[in-house]
Amino acid sequence: MLYLVGLGPGDEGTMTQDAIAAIQDAEVIVGYKTYTNLIKHLIEGKELIRTGMCKELERCEAAIEAAKSGKKVALVSSGDVGVYGMAGPVFEIIARDHLDLEVKVVAGVTSSVASAAMIGCPLMHDFCHISLSDLLTPWDLIEKRVRMAADADFVICFYNPRSKGRPDHLQKAFELMSPFKRPETPVGIVKAAGRAKEDMWLTTLAEIDYSVVGMTSMVIVGNKSTYRYKDYIITPRGYMV
Amino acid sequence: MLYLVGLGPGDEGTMTQDAIAAIQDAEVIVGYKTYTNLIKHLIEGKELIRTGMCKELERCEAAIEAAKSGKKVALVSSGDVGVYGMAGPVFEIIARDHLDLEVKVVAGVTSSVASAAMIGCPLMHDFCHISLSDLLTPWDLIEKRVRMAADADFVICFYNPRSKGRPDHLQKAFELMSPFKRPETPVGIVKAAGRAKEDMWLTTLAEIDYSVVGMTSMVIVGNKSTYRYKDYIITPRGYMV
């Protein structure tokens, strides 16, 4: 049995009951160090396979190997495991090797939803997720998605908005949105939602300071109706309030 | 204190630790009957304000009134409270009435993510949420979003895909997508994810049977790279698997 477990983006509070149960049931835990550290007390005495950053495929192969040997394995991941997470490469390997493995995906709170909760209700209407990392996606396609999502007036959540290797992607995305979104469109930036170091900034499309945005930030850009009240970004659902 | 609590889409297993803690801390629980029934054992002895379906604004007003009187109140909602949920009207009322209320949003697993977990990893790349209900959104805008999201090759999750009052919306949406998505694009339909009555169908853009889709179904349509292996719908992230 291979559990693919989303821990939620935060400390233990954002974990679901099902995630805890899956980890407790597992004999082997596989995960990136930062995540296995978050659940240290839950995994005492269990076999632990930890790998560093950027070793995603290694981690997936290790988890699959352990599960093939008949062990109960939990591969843990931050946020939801199926949103830019480890579920993808695991299923791709399973399909590539024509494996017949029992897999259970345990859904978690994804980062956009957790970040939104910290700044009001920006995701109350149609929204989309766009990753600004072009390591695995051609930049042309990312640009097309940003432009069309802005034109269609989606609320937009940017994953992987900015890193040392691509300091200008977020600014480029904001330039692409500007023909379609008002300069005063509310923008929320959330860092480390649900963790001790969580932090946030409320700003606008025109006034954003890109320098506060890092690799683990979530950037949420409102639609035409989104407005600000105190420390909240509010996207109306459309009820006659 | 007003807690806005997402219970997750399923039975108790999809609740987070933070959601349980908020409900335990609250003195008053406000919610639609179906949801308060799911958490019966957590709310024994607490004051309960229940309303029927379509009484969303009433529920929000009742929760705000109770919180204004100084009580600790939890307004509970299925899935995540900030995704087409009750957080929207609550914050709109707070802004309209210039209230200064302490509000804490407790994020939950939203229906798209929970549904995706049942059918593999369809949401592994950029995706969007579109509600097909035109009760609160002009149909023209919904059509534009469907067309552009398909053209930009997003994975698309349809909320409120079909009901007695609008039996043809999903079919119209599929017709709008067809110039952009292959007929064999994998489609997953999930009913009541995480509950006892959960059910699912894997099909394609061309072969979907609209009649199995109801108001509480989630319909997930893949992108150009999405494929099927056994009972899984897999959207590759782009790793060289």
Side-chain angles (χ1 to χ4, degrees), chain A residues 90-105:
Chain A
V90 165
F91 280 112
E92 289 185 70
I93 293 167
I94 287 173
R96 180 196 68 192
D97 296 348
H98 303 282
L99 300 178
D100 197 17
L101 213 57
E102 197 184 351
V103 182
K104 190 169 163 46
V105 183

Side-chain angles (χ1 to χ4, degrees), chain B residues 88-104:
Chain B
V90 165
F91 280 111
E92 288 185 70
I93 293 167
I94 287 173
R96 180 196 69 192
D97 296 347
H98 303 282
L99 300 178
D100 197 17
L101 213 56
E102 197 183 352
V103 181
K104 192 169 164 43

Side-chain angles (χ1 to χ4, degrees), chain B residues 3 10 18 21 88 93 102 108 127 134-135 153 158 163 172-173 204 222 229-230:
Chain B
Y3 294 109
D18 287 344
I93 293 167
E102 197 183 352
F127 69 94
D134 61 351
L135 289 177
D153 200 29
F158 290 109
S163 72
K172 281 188 202 161
T204 65
Y229 174 72
K230 294 187 184 254

Side-chain angles (χ1 to χ4, degrees), chain A residues 118-131:
Chain A
M118 289 179 55
I119 55 175
C121 57
L123 305 185
M124 272 302 293
H125 214 294
D126 301 337
F127 70 94
C128 62
H129 286 181
I130 301 176
S131 167

Side-chain angles (χ1 to χ4, degrees), chain A:
Chain A
M1 164 63 96
L2 176 54
Y3 294 109
L4 305 176
V5 184
L7 300 176
D11 298 332
E12 205 183 323
T14 59
M15 286 180 71
T16 66
Q17 304 286 94
D18 286 343
I20 293 170
I23 290 165
Q24 283 170 335
D25 189 46
E27 298 154 288
V28 182
I29 308 292
V30 186
Y32 173 47
K33 268 185 289 187
T34 314
Y35 309 145
T36 54
N37 283 343
L38 284 174
I39 52 168
K40 228 184 252 172
H41 59 291
L42 283 174
I43 60 180
E44 262 174 41
K46 296 182 192 284
E47 186 183 335
L48 192 56
I49 303 177
R50 304 199 303 188
T51 63
M53 241 180 109
C54 302
K55 302 279 186 187
E56 288 88 356
L57 289 183
E58 245 176 55
R59 235 175 292 159
C60 296
E61 299 271 11
I64 289 170
E65 280 313 306
K68 275 164 70 179
S69 77
K71 288 179 181 161
K72 288 193 277 187
V73 181
L75 173 59
V76 300
S77 187
S78 168
D80 176 66
V81 68
V83 175
Y84 308 117
M86 289 295 94
V90 165
F91 280 112
E92 289 185 70
I93 293 167
I94 287 173
R96 180 196 68 192
D97 296 348
H98 303 282
L99 300 178
D100 197 17
L101 213 57
E102 197 184 351
V103 182
K104 190 169 163 46
V105 183
V106 181
V109 175
T110 188
S111 172
S112 58
V113 166
S115 301
M118 289 179 55
I119 55 175
C121 57
L123 305 185
M124 272 302 293
H125 214 294
D126 301 337
F127 70 94
C128 62
H129 286 181
I130 301 176
S131 167
L132 292 181
S133 166
D134 61 350
L135 290 177
L136 302 170
T137 309
W139 179 251
D140 283 355
L141 180 57
I142 297 173
E143 284 202 345
K144 181 175 181 180
R145 284 180 182 160
V146 173
R147 230 182 303 112
M148 289 197 150
D151 189 3
D153 200 29
F154 280 99
V155 176
I156 305 180
C157 305
F158 290 109
Y159 280 68
N160 310 313
R162 196 164 173 269
S163 71
K164 280 188 190 146
R166 40 190 166 28
D168 302 327
H169 283 195
L170 187 63
Q171 186 170 348
K172 280 189 202 161
F174 270 55
E175 285 161 12
L176 289 167
M177 290 188 293
S178 67
F180 308 106
K181 290 191 183 274
R182 296 164 295 130
E184 60 274 18
T185 301
V187 171
I189 302 166
V190 179
K191 234 175 204 167
R195 297 212 187 144
K197 287 184 287 186
E198 72 179 15
D199 209 349
M200 59 181 169
W201 296 264
L202 303 190
T203 178
T204 65
L205 198 76
E207 289 172 335
I208 185 171
D209 172 5
Y210 300 106
S211 74
V212 304
V213 179
M215 189 61 194
T216 61
S217 308
M218 171 63 51
V219 179
I220 300 179
V221 180
N223 69 16
K224 284 199 169 66
S225 314
T226 305
Y227 61 96
R228 170 97 177 262
Y229 174 72
K230 294 185 184 256
D231 289 340
Y232 304 125
I233 291 180
I234 301 172
T235 298
R237 178 72 185 102
Y239 291 105
M240 294 302 291
V241 168

Side-chain angles (χ1 to χ4, degrees), chain B:
Chain B
M1 165 63 96
L2 176 56
Y3 294 109
L4 304 176
V5 183
L7 300 177
D11 298 332
E12 205 182 325
T14 60
M15 285 180 73
T16 67
Q17 303 288 94
D18 287 344
I20 293 170
I23 290 164
Q24 282 170 337
D25 189 46
E27 299 153 288
V28 183
I29 307 292
V30 186
Y32 173 48
K33 268 184 288 185
T34 313
Y35 308 146
T36 54
N37 283 342
L38 284 174
I39 53 168
K40 227 185 253 174
H41 59 292
L42 284 174
I43 59 179
E44 261 175 42
K46 295 182 193 284
E47 185 183 338
L48 191 56
I49 303 177
R50 304 199 301 187
T51 62
M53 243 180 109
C54 302
K55 302 280 187 185
E56 288 87 357
L57 290 182
E58 245 177 56
R59 236 175 291 158
C60 295
E61 299 271 11
I64 288 170
E65 279 313 306
K68 276 165 71 179
S69 78
K71 288 179 180 161
K72 289 194 275 188
V73 181
L75 173 60
V76 301
S77 187
S78 168
D80 176 65
V81 69
V83 176
Y84 309 116
M86 288 296 95
V90 165
F91 280 111
E92 288 185 70
I93 293 167
I94 287 173
R96 180 196 69 192
D97 296 347
H98 303 282
L99 300 178
D100 197 17
L101 213 56
E102 197 183 352
V103 181
K104 192 169 164 43
V105 183
V106 181
V109 175
T110 188
S111 170
S112 58
V113 166
S115 300
M118 289 178 55
I119 55 174
C121 58
L123 305 185
M124 272 302 294
H125 213 295
D126 302 336
F127 69 94
C128 62
H129 285 180
I130 301 176
S131 166
L132 291 182
S133 167
D134 61 351
L135 289 177
L136 302 170
T137 308
W139 179 252
D140 281 357
L141 179 57
I142 297 173
E143 283 202 346
K144 182 175 182 182
R145 285 181 180 158
V146 173
R147 232 182 302 111
M148 290 198 148
D151 189 2
D153 200 29
F154 281 99
V155 176
I156 306 180
C157 305
F158 290 109
Y159 280 68
N160 309 316
R162 195 164 174 270
S163 72
K164 279 187 191 149
R166 39 182 194 299
D168 302 328
H169 283 195
L170 186 63
Q171 185 169 348
K172 281 188 202 161
F174 270 54
E175 285 162 10
L176 290 167
M177 291 188 293
S178 67
F180 308 105
K181 291 191 182 276
R182 295 165 296 130
E184 60 273 20
T185 301
V187 172
I189 302 164
V190 179
K191 232 174 205 168
R195 300 213 185 144
K197 285 183 289 184
E198 74 180 14
D199 209 347
M200 58 180 169
W201 295 263
L202 303 189
T203 178
T204 65
L205 198 75
E207 288 172 334
I208 186 173
D209 171 6
Y210 300 105
S211 73
V212 303
V213 179
M215 190 60 197
T216 62
S217 309
M218 171 63 52
V219 178
I220 300 179
V221 180
N223 69 16
K224 284 199 170 64
S225 312
T226 304
Y227 61 95
R228 170 96 178 261
Y229 174 72
K230 294 187 184 254
D231 288 340
Y232 304 125
I233 291 179
I234 301 173
T235 298
R237 178 73 184 101
Y239 292 105
M240 295 300 291
V241 169

